[in-house]
Amino acid sequence: MSEKIVVFTGAGVSQESGLRTFRDMGGLWQEHNIEDVASPEGFERNPAMVLEFYNQRRRKLGEVEPNAAHRAIAELERDFDVVVVTQNVDDLHERAGSTRVVHIHGEILKNRSSVDPALRYPAGGKIDIDLGDLCEKGSQLRPDVVWFGEDVLHYPESVQHFRDADRVLVVGTSLTVVPAAGLIRYAAAKAEKVVVALDLDTVPHGFHFLRGKATEMVPQVTDAWRRGRRP
C-alpha cells in the first residue's frame, strides 16, 4: 500500500495566489472589525454587510488560479495516498487536482442555512448571496464558512488522518488558530514531519522547519519525497 501523506495548509498558501488574508487586512475591512464580518453576532447585526464581504471574496476567487504549491501537493497523489486538511475556505486545492480535501473551516463557494448548519447547498451559477435568498426552512442563506465562536468541521476525521499518516507536511499556517493548530499534535512520533513557512514563533516538536515561500519550498519537498529522499 502507498504511504499516507497528510498535508495541512493555511492562508499562506492561498495568499501566494493573490487572496488576501485576515492578517493582510490588519484586522479591519472598510473600517469594520474582522469580527463584525466573521461572527454570528455580526451577521445578526448587519447581514447585508457580512454578505457583501463574502460576496467580494467569492468574486475574487474567480480571478485567481492555483499556484505551484497547490499543484505540487496535487501531484503527490501519483505516488502516495494523500489527504489535504485545510483551514482555507477556497477551492484552489481542488482546482489544482487534489481529490481528497477536508475543509475544517468550511467552503466559501457553498451556502448554508443561518438556522440549521446541516442544510448546505452548492452555490451553483449564482456567485453572490443576496438578502432574501432563503433555505428550504425559510431562513436567510449565509456562506458555509466557520465563524468565530463556531465549531470547526470534520475534526475527529482530521485527527484520524493525522494519526494514520506516515508523513505530514504543514504549509502556510502560523499554527496559532485554535483548535485547528492542535491537529498536528496527533501526528505519530514515527511520522516524517515537515513544516514550511516564512516565519514561525515556535517550531513544533519533531518537525523539520523549512523557511520560505510555499511556491518555492513545497515543490522541493514533494519532489524529494517522490524520489525517495528527505527534503
Side-chain angles (χ1 to χ4, degrees), residues 17 26 40 50-51 87 93 99 102 122 138 147 151 158 166-167 172 195 197 205 208 227:
S17 282
V50 175
L51 291 176
Q87 299 174 78
H93 280 300
T99 61
V102 181
W147 286 336
D151 293 334
S158 300
D166 299 293
R167 306 182 192 197
V195 57
H205 178 71
H208 177 45
R227 295 173 182 269

Side-chain angles (χ1 to χ4, degrees), residues 64-82:
V64 301
E65 297 292 335
N67 59 48
H70 293 111
R71 294 191 295 271
I73 291 166
E75 288 168 1
L76 277 175
E77 292 191 19
R78 298 178 185 174
D79 302 285
F80 301 97
D81 175 18
V82 182

Side-chain angles (χ1 to χ4, degrees), residues 10 14 17 36 57 64 79 95-96 126 147 149 165 200 216 224:
S14 296
S17 282
D36 291 334
R57 262 103 240 115
V64 301
D79 302 285
R95 285 162 56 188
K126 186 173 183 288
W147 286 336
L200 277 181
E216 297 173 356

Side-chain angles (χ1 to χ4, degrees), residues 64-147:
V64 301
E65 297 292 335
N67 59 48
H70 293 111
R71 294 191 295 271
I73 291 166
E75 288 168 1
L76 277 175
E77 292 191 19
R78 298 178 185 174
D79 302 285
F80 301 97
D81 175 18
V82 182
V83 176
V84 178
V85 177
T86 185
Q87 299 174 78
N88 300 332
V89 297
D90 58 68
D91 66 343
L92 294 176
H93 280 300
E94 288 89 344
R95 285 162 56 188
S98 290
T99 61
R100 298 176 68 193
V101 185
V102 181
H103 288 271
I104 61 173
H105 288 161
E107 298 177 69
I108 197 170
L109 292 179
K110 291 184 178 179
N111 306 333
R112 55 156 279 200
S113 164
S114 55
V115 298
D116 186 349
L119 294 179
R120 292 183 163 89
Y121 314 88
K126 186 173 183 288
I127 295 298
D128 289 0
I129 302 176
D130 299 316
L131 282 178
D133 289 346
L134 308 179
C135 78
E136 62 200 64
K137 289 188 175 181
S139 70
Q140 174 65 45
L141 288 175
R142 52 165 274 192
D144 186 20
V145 298
V146 175
W147 286 336

